[in-house]
Amino acid sequence: MTTLFLASTPLHVFFSLGLMRGPFKDQAHTLVLIDQRPGERDYIAEALEASSTSEVSVVRFPALRSVGPARRLLREISDFTAALAPSTLAIGNDRRTEFYAAVRGCPGARRTYIDDGLYSYLPRQDAQPVWRQNLSSWRRRLKYGLHVERPSEIGGSQAVQDAYVLLPEQVHSGLRGKPVQPLRPEWFADAWVREVCMTAAVAAGFDAARCEAIRLLLLLPHPRFLQAYPDLRQRIEALARTHAERGDVVALKAHPAGGGIPLHRQLSVPAEGVVEVPARLPVEVLVPLLSGALVVGTLTTALLSMVSLGDRVTVRSVLPQSARGAGRRYNDRAFAVYESVGIRPIDDDATA
């Protein structure tokens, strides 16, 4: 039997690693990267290809473009899936048209959803009424020549039959009622997963051996968010200084969508005792490599990954008070999810 993993983000690839060592351990594995754009690199996928112990086949399909080439590409995906005949299709985002092309190629495969982060627990901020979802699906069917669903709740399509997520008890209504299983930390603690993650980190230019010494990992929001909330930037700078002065190793991870803005232009932090995690390296790679660290971030799925899968990792949130409350329902709901698993605001810790 074969499991085909359809991944459009590095997060999906990371969660796929755990599933390969968990419920699908005894199956053959094919990782299909969809929506790949020129110049983009997926370091986890590259690590899988470079591993001497990996038996994972990696296939890449480019991003969908104009209608004619898109239809041909979708047919290629359907034909590829039909030839592979997987027993399971594992998808990270069931709004992707490529998923439905794969379903067309192998309609009898079990269709499993892989956690897509906060969208597994909250509706999308651009959620639409049902009639608009149906209209969007109809237009896509005309455009691409196949049935496509556009659920407002990721994982909530009729095509998805079951799921593996970080927080089964917190899933939104689109997943509630389907068989939902937890992603288990022991799958990601597996030696093979650790090896793949270390290889990915090195390929991105980060010395993975330093992970064990990290005592504070700060996950930075988008630079625009730091500019909009100077009090947040000052709080993060103070955390970095305080821990560096204690002699702790502090790691800073810039937001991957930050447009390559140098870290020193985003924050004022000590030069000594601070290491930078490359912005282009998926922070999930560090989950199996950290131990005994404090992780602090804002609205990011990585906090859920760290608290659910990390080894003795303390996870805290940081968000300016003005970013919560009236008119900011999404932020409030996200922090309610955090608090349900013990991720408290860092300001609640007297010693922080």
Side-chain angles (χ1 to χ4, degrees):
M1 294 191 295
T2 299
T3 301
L4 189 157
F5 297 90
L6 280 167
S8 54
T9 70
L11 177 66
H12 302 152
V13 179
F14 174 73
F15 286 149
S16 296
L17 291 182
L19 293 172
M20 291 175 189
R21 306 310 283 179
F24 304 116
K25 183 175 183 180
D26 296 327
Q27 298 190 18
H29 305 128
T30 295
L31 174 66
V32 173
L33 302 178
I34 57 176
D35 194 33
Q36 299 300 287
R37 302 172 189 276
E40 284 186 343
R41 297 181 64 181
D42 190 306
Y43 291 103
I44 305 177
E46 290 180 17
L48 285 171
E49 293 174 305
S51 172
S52 60
T53 60
S54 173
E55 297 181 356
V56 181
S57 299
V58 179
V59 180
R60 293 173 173 83
F61 286 105
L64 298 178
R65 298 194 182 278
S66 55
V67 175
R71 281 193 171 221
R72 288 193 293 272
L73 177 58
L74 293 169
R75 175 52 64 185
E76 287 180 23
I77 294 173
S78 295
D79 292 345
F80 174 84
T81 308
L84 186 67
S87 54
T88 302
L89 280 172
I91 178 67
N93 184 343
D94 59 342
R95 289 168 59 93
R96 296 295 319 182
T97 306
E98 295 93 333
F99 169 52
Y100 297 93
V103 171
R104 178 176 62 184
C106 191
R110 185 74 179 174
R111 299 180 296 275
T112 295
Y113 168 75
I114 306 172
D115 202 324
D116 191 48
L118 281 169
Y119 284 139
S120 299
Y121 314 101
L122 307 175
R124 289 176 58 91
Q125 296 186 71
D126 58 355
Q128 298 178 341
V130 173
W131 71 268
R132 296 217 39 189
Q133 294 179 46
N134 292 337
L135 177 62
S136 176
S137 298
W138 176 74
R139 294 176 64 185
R140 284 179 168 266
R141 184 163 58 250
L142 290 179
K143 181 177 181 179
Y144 295 120
L146 78 163
H147 172 71
V148 178
E149 296 180 62
R150 295 285 287 173
S152 289
E153 296 175 314
I154 305 297
S157 66
Q158 294 180 10
V160 165
Q161 296 170 300
D162 57 25
Y164 285 91
V165 301
L166 293 169
L167 310 175
E169 301 302 319
Q170 302 289 339
V171 294
H172 54 55
S173 59
L175 283 167
R176 214 169 297 135
K178 299 178 181 181
V180 178
Q181 301 294 323
L183 292 164
R184 299 192 177 279
E186 58 267 25
W187 302 341
F188 298 86
D190 180 88
W192 176 78
V193 175
R194 286 175 51 84
E195 176 194 342
V196 171
C197 288
M198 292 188 73
T199 302
V202 171
F206 183 66
D207 182 5
R210 303 195 70 172
C211 285
E212 291 187 1
I214 293 173
R215 288 297 166 263
L216 173 64
L217 171 61
L218 290 168
L219 308 179
L220 304 185
H222 195 284
R224 288 198 303 267
F225 202 80
L226 288 175
Q227 292 175 356
Y229 298 100
D231 55 327
L232 173 64
R233 185 181 67 249
Q234 293 165 7
R235 183 70 178 109
I236 293 174
E237 291 172 345
L239 278 169
R241 283 195 302 272
T242 299
H243 283 263
E245 289 169 359
R246 294 177 187 169
D248 294 342
V249 174
V250 177
L252 294 175
K253 173 70 167 65
H255 194 283
I261 299 176
L263 189 61
H264 70 270
R265 288 177 52 191
Q266 298 184 45
L267 291 174
S268 175
V269 295
E272 297 296 326
V274 175
V275 299
E276 182 176 356
V277 180
R280 63 189 184 278
L281 179 67
V283 71
E284 289 77 21
V285 163
L286 305 185
V287 171
L289 308 179
L290 292 172
S291 181
L294 169 64
V295 180
V296 180
T298 53
L299 295 173
T300 169
T301 297
L303 297 186
L304 299 180
S305 302
M306 292 287 180
V307 78
S308 301
L309 306 175
D311 176 28
R312 297 182 293 110
V313 175
T314 301
V315 182
R316 294 289 180 262
S317 63
V318 57
L319 191 73
Q321 194 62 37
S322 55
R324 304 185 69 172
R328 296 174 174 84
R329 187 165 176 257
Y330 182 87
N331 292 359
D332 291 345
R333 293 180 65 180
F335 272 81
V337 173
Y338 287 167
E339 290 166 1
S340 73
V341 290
I343 302 176
R344 304 192 312 271
I346 187 67
D347 292 324
D348 291 352
D349 294 355
T351 59

